[in-house]
Amino acid sequence: MRPIAEAIEGSNAKRGLWSSRFAFILAATGSAVGLGNIWKFPYITGENGGGAFVLVYLLCIAAIGLPIMMAEVLIGRRGGRSPVNSLKAIAGHDRLNPAWRMVGAVGVIAGFLILSFYSVIGGWAVSYVGTAASGQLTGQSADAIGAIFSNLLADPVTLLMWHTLFMALVMLCGGKRGSRGDLSARSPFLMPALFLLLLTVVGYAMTTGEFGRAVTFLFQPDFTKLTTSGVLVALGHAFFTLSLGMAVMMAYGSYLPKGISIAKTSIAVCVIDTAVALLAGLAIFPIVFANGLEPGAGPGLIFQTLPLAFGQMPMGSLFGTLFFVLLVFAAWTSGISLLEPIVEWLEEQKSMNRTRSTLAAGFVCWLLGIASILSLNLWSDFAPLGWIGMLEGKTVFDLLDFFTANILLPLGGLLVAVFAGWVMSREAIEKELALSKPMFRLWYITVRYITPVAVGAVFIYNLFGS
């Protein structure tokens, strides 16, 4: 059977493919490994009690994240187009309801909304490159480091400048026809370098005297500290950190050649992504405890604890500068991947070329990001949906984070699981995955029953629970 993209009239026969399995792993890891691992994972772990939350998170990765990632990649490869049009192509080829293309649309919208506030956080990282390089962190106390971050958030003009610069970088690379090649070229250097720098900080963290306490906090479950809300956050972050439910893996899967194992590549991405998140926790929490800081300090945790470490360690300015440069690049590759699905879709509509599609999508995303910036200072008391109990006190920034991580991403993942497990042809899926019969049966049962039930239960709680 010919690939669907070749069987449908008007398909893009000139679409490029990843050069190898390794190239796909690097690009997918570059998308997955970013601010979610180093910025978000430590602070949500701190907010949700540590070890029990980490255990639930790892279970979510294995039982939900991995099966859905495999489903997204196989949908993208089978459709051979942008996420929306891949679903449309599969539905048309298999004579399914065309409404299934909305599965791709949910992901595209989620990724777009995430990028709007992700760019603001990326701007924080860009700002800290100069802060570290200028020596402002050297010898500073925890209070002084906290004041640097607080002053940054209180200045909307400065935040806008860094947000604009970060989005410009994303649009500059995303607008190039060879953006896939650019990602492949950067990933072999950026990800290992970031990994080594994290190991360096972990080495420093081991000298603080609180490393054992941090290990206990991260890996010794205390289920009395785990709430139903914490389970929801763990599931939402499993989607966020693996770039699931935001159409990215479908887009990347559309460039994956036949004959490359979807299962092996997906497992590799999950393992690397999880390892980076756990390393970030081991780097940050010893410093948190050693300096009397709160592990549940919130989104500013990484911008207060690691700068404190860099300010106290030998050659800290150099290591700090390198770390934040690499953090910017990790965020940059993730930002490019978040923009790719909507750019790819706009381009396929034939009304705009690649450059115009990137400029249009990027500008709207940049504009929406301004609301997140203002919610950190001038609009800090404005809670648009505060009349809803569970959203009381949430600013625009908080709402975008909550709505995408806890509504759109699980919804997108649920729809992908249903489509792959119950709607797509089993024969077609078996050919795409090329697994042994026992392994395919395990994946198929998981994606048909376990994954939808787990995601659906948490999704319903999120909508109707207390």
Side-chain angles (χ1 to χ4, degrees), residues 65-383:
L66 176 60
I68 291 180
M69 176 179 283
M70 292 171 61
E72 288 200 13
V73 174
L74 80 86
I75 289 171
R77 185 163 74 177
R78 181 160 171 77
R81 296 181 172 189
S82 67
V84 175
N85 287 330
S86 281
L87 269 296
K88 180 180 178 181
I90 293 172
H93 183 270
D94 295 347
R95 298 180 181 179
L96 306 173
N97 190 323
W100 280 108
R101 69 181 185 276
M102 296 308 297
V103 175
V106 170
V108 171
I109 292 169
F112 182 78
L113 292 177
I114 288 171
L115 181 57
S116 71
F117 69 85
Y118 192 92
S119 176
V120 175
I121 305 161
W124 299 353
V126 176
S127 171
Y128 266 73
V129 172
T131 301
S134 64
Q136 295 180 47
L137 305 177
T138 304
Q140 297 283 9
S141 66
D143 289 340
I145 294 292
I148 292 174
F149 184 65
S150 297
N151 291 337
L152 173 65
L153 297 192
D155 187 349
V157 175
T158 300
L159 288 177
L160 178 61
M161 178 182 69
W162 295 123
H163 165 58
T164 302
L165 177 59
F166 184 85
M167 273 304 304
L169 290 172
V170 170
M171 293 163 65
L172 177 65
C173 188
K176 294 181 180 179
R177 172 62 63 182
S179 59
R180 287 184 301 103
D182 294 339
L183 282 169
S184 297
R186 285 194 301 271
S187 296
F189 304 102
L190 292 175
M191 292 304 108
L194 183 62
F195 192 80
L196 288 174
L197 272 173
L198 272 175
L199 286 176
T200 301
V201 180
V202 170
Y204 169 78
M206 294 176 71
T207 69
T208 62
E210 296 289 349
F211 191 76
R213 182 181 174 189
V215 171
T216 299
F217 179 75
L218 277 171
F219 299 112
Q220 183 172 305
D222 181 356
F223 289 99
T224 64
K225 296 180 180 179
L226 183 67
T227 63
T228 307
S229 176
V231 175
L232 171 68
V233 173
L235 176 62
H237 189 65
F239 280 89
F240 184 91
T241 191
L242 292 175
S243 298
L244 302 178
M246 52 186 82
V248 171
M249 291 304 164
M250 286 189 211
Y252 279 12
S254 70
Y255 301 113
L256 188 66
K258 301 288 181 179
I260 292 180
S261 170
I262 290 176
K264 291 180 180 178
T265 53
S266 298
I267 290 171
V269 173
C270 288
V271 169
I272 296 171
D273 180 80
T274 304
V276 172
L278 294 176
L279 272 179
L282 290 173
I284 289 173
F285 286 117
I287 302 167
V288 169
F289 296 136
N291 290 277
L293 301 174
E294 287 295 325
L301 187 63
I302 188 177
F303 295 96
Q304 294 173 284
T305 54
L306 285 186
L308 186 63
F310 291 132
Q312 296 174 355
M313 64 193 296
M315 300 180 67
S317 293
L318 175 61
F319 282 116
T321 302
L322 289 175
F323 177 83
F324 282 110
V325 165
L326 288 166
L327 184 60
V328 168
F329 273 89
W332 187 18
T333 55
S334 296
I336 293 165
S337 69
L338 288 169
L339 192 63
E340 176 65 19
I342 191 166
V343 169
E344 197 178 21
W345 179 77
L346 287 172
E347 189 181 15
E348 286 178 354
Q349 304 315 299
K350 304 185 186 300
S351 58
M352 291 186 286
N353 59 27
R354 177 97 185 172
T355 300
R356 290 181 179 178
S357 299
T358 302
L359 289 174
F363 175 75
V364 176
C365 196
W366 170 83
L367 201 61
L368 183 59
I370 295 176
S372 289
I373 289 174
L374 294 175
S375 72
L376 298 171
N377 36 73
L378 300 180
W379 293 357
S380 60
D381 294 327
F382 175 51

Side-chain angles (χ1 to χ4, degrees), residues 362-422:
F363 175 75
V364 176
C365 196
W366 170 83
L367 201 61
L368 183 59
I370 295 176
S372 289
I373 289 174
L374 294 175
S375 72
L376 298 171
N377 36 73
L378 300 180
W379 293 357
S380 60
D381 294 327
F382 175 51
L385 300 178
W387 48 274
I388 301 177
M390 64 189 304
L391 302 178
E392 183 178 357
K394 291 189 181 296
T395 63
V396 173
F397 182 97
D398 297 329
L399 283 175
L400 285 170
D401 185 18
F402 180 86
F403 183 64
T404 52
N406 298 317
I407 303 292
L408 286 182
L409 298 190
L411 175 61
L414 177 62
L415 292 174
V416 165
V418 171
F419 184 76
W422 295 93

